[in-house]
């Protein structure tokens, strides 16, 4: 196994030569530099040192004893340290930031954002990050229906919904019909497991079961009425897109919430809107 094949991995190598600017690790035939400031005190020829291999700013293979926040084969959430003309740069615990190319981004990211990525070696033999992590996520979660889980949104699909990594490692989806409110790639969410698929993938909802959620939805509709002077300028027969835009609810959820308010005598439907009646 050549040193190049160890790129992106932690491994233990032997010290084969000491120089003023550090030590060389590996064998007499193939070796890599561990810079002086990285060399543990008291290390001598023949001693083993655990290091991580990556490439420096001049694309030279180099070793470090610093702990990277991600290695090959892992999926981790990293912070965006900066952006540039070729992509974003992620803080992964090493001196040289990790490149996240534009073509590997599932959504545009900016400085300070958190994004879920995996590590790969590009065609030039350099380590880069990708947000396309679907195939890297595990399908053996310990969760069952109605469990509460936490995760990060890593991709959005107009056809399917929001892809989520539960605990940053398990494959999950918020189906399109369950997407409510303003949710974006990079958001941390808490959700309820609605189904465990035969292949182990999870379906999630950010909403509670209907009979529980109805109370929260009704309260929110009252708040929307108050914000509009005690009335909403549309009824439960309005276009679903209008209802979704104004309240964040599906048409069915909105009708259930309004029905609850009417039953409690707190709202009434008029010809051109819904009016609050308990004030």
């Amino acid at each position: 196994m050549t040193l190049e094949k160890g790129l992106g991995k932690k491994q233990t190598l032997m010290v084969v030569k000491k120089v003023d600017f550090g030590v060389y690790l590996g064998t007499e035939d193939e070796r890599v530099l561990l810079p002086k400031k990285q060399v543990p005190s008291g290390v001598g020829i023949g001693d083993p040192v655990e290091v991580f291999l990556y490439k420096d700013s001049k694309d030279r293979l180099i070793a470090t004893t610093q702990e990277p926040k991600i290695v090959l084969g892992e999926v981790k959430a990293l912070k965006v340290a900066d952006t540039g003309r070729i992509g974003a740069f992620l803080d992964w615990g090493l001196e040289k930031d990790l490149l996240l190319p534009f073509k590997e981004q599932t959504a545009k990211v900016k400085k300070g954002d958190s994004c879920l990525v995996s590590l790969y070696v590009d065609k030039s033999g350099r380590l880069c990050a990708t947000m396309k992590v679907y195939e890297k996520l595990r399908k053996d979660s310990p969760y069952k229906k109605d469990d509460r889980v936490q995760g990060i949104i890593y991709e959005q699909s107009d056809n399917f919904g929001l892809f989520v990594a539960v605990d940053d490692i398990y494959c999950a989806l918020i189906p399109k019909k369950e997407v409510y409110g303003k949710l974006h790639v990079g958001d941390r969410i808490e959700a309820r497991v609605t189904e465990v698929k035969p292949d182990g993938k999870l379906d999630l909802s950010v909403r509670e079961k209907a009979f529980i959620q109805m109370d929260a939805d009704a309260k929110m509709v009252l708040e929307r009425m108050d914000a509009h002077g005690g009335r909403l300028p549309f009824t439960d027969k309005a276009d679903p897109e209008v209802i979704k835009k104004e309240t964040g609810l599906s048409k069915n959820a909105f009708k259930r919430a309004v029905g609850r308010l009417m039953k409690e005598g707190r709202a009434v439907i008029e010809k051109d809107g819904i009016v609050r009646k308990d004030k």
Side-chain angles (χ1 to χ4, degrees), residues 128-166:
C128 293
T130 178
M131 293 171 67
K132 300 171 183 177
V133 300
Y134 178 81
E135 296 296 336
K136 299 280 187 181
L137 297 178
R138 292 166 50 181
K139 302 173 182 66
D140 59 345
S141 87
Y143 300 112
K144 58 186 185 300
K145 190 174 186 295
D146 290 331
D147 280 351
R148 303 293 304 185
V149 296
Q150 295 181 337
I152 184 171
I153 298 170
Y154 67 88
E155 191 168 351
Q156 181 171 4
S157 165
D158 290 337
N159 293 325
F160 299 105
L162 297 172
F163 290 94
V164 176
V166 169

Side-chain angles (χ1 to χ4, degrees), residues 91-105:
D91 173 13
W92 63 324
L94 304 183
E95 291 181 9
K96 180 189 175 187
D97 290 333
L98 178 64
L99 174 64
L100 171 61
F102 283 124
K103 67 182 178 65
E104 297 298 329
Q105 297 177 18

Side-chain angles (χ1 to χ4, degrees), residues 5-40:
K5 288 183 179 178
L7 186 67
K9 303 173 184 176
K10 290 184 359 182
Q11 55 195 296
T12 299
L13 300 174
M14 299 296 180
V15 177
V16 294
K17 185 178 181 180
K18 297 184 75 171
V19 292
D20 291 341
F21 46 87
V23 298
Y24 281 99
L25 309 173
T27 66
E28 289 296 336
D29 296 328
E30 187 180 26
R31 55 196 189 185
V32 62
L33 176 68
L34 175 63
K36 186 175 183 179
K37 62 183 176 180
Q38 298 284 322
V39 179

Side-chain angles (χ1 to χ4, degrees), residues 84-229:
R85 60 182 180 80
I86 58 173
F89 296 91
L90 310 180
D91 173 13
W92 63 324
L94 304 183
E95 291 181 9
K96 180 189 175 187
D97 290 333
L98 178 64
L99 174 64
L100 171 61
F102 283 124
K103 67 182 178 65
E104 297 298 329
Q105 297 177 18
T106 58
K108 187 176 181 180
V109 299
K110 63 183 184 301
K111 185 176 180 179
D113 284 352
S114 180
C115 52
L116 194 73
V117 298
S118 66
L119 201 58
Y120 74 98
V121 180
D122 73 5
K123 293 179 181 178
S124 302
R126 293 170 298 188
L127 289 170
C128 293
T130 178
M131 293 171 67
K132 300 171 183 177
V133 300
Y134 178 81
E135 296 296 336
K136 299 280 187 181
L137 297 178
R138 292 166 50 181
K139 302 173 182 66
D140 59 345
S141 87
Y143 300 112
K144 58 186 185 300
K145 190 174 186 295
D146 290 331
D147 280 351
R148 303 293 304 185
V149 296
Q150 295 181 337
I152 184 171
I153 298 170
Y154 67 88
E155 191 168 351
Q156 181 171 4
S157 165
D158 290 337
N159 293 325
F160 299 105
L162 297 172
F163 290 94
V164 176
V166 169
D167 297 338
D168 293 3
I169 55 173
Y170 299 117
C171 190
L173 173 73
I174 302 176
K176 187 175 180 180
K177 63 184 177 61
E178 292 292 340
V179 177
Y180 296 94
K182 297 179 179 179
L183 296 174
H184 307 97
V185 170
D187 286 350
R188 290 271 174 195
I189 58 123
E190 182 173 317
R192 176 174 58 88
V193 177
T194 58
E195 184 179 357
V196 180
K197 299 289 189 179
D199 62 2
K201 298 173 188 173
L202 305 176
D203 270 4
L204 309 177
S205 175
V206 291
R207 294 164 62 76
E208 294 286 0
K209 290 184 176 181
F211 70 91
I212 299 174
Q213 186 65 44
M214 202 185 307
D215 288 337
D217 290 346
K219 181 180 178 183
M220 186 275 295
V221 170
L222 287 176
E223 290 172 350
R224 297 295 296 166
M225 286 184 189
D226 289 342
H228 287 81

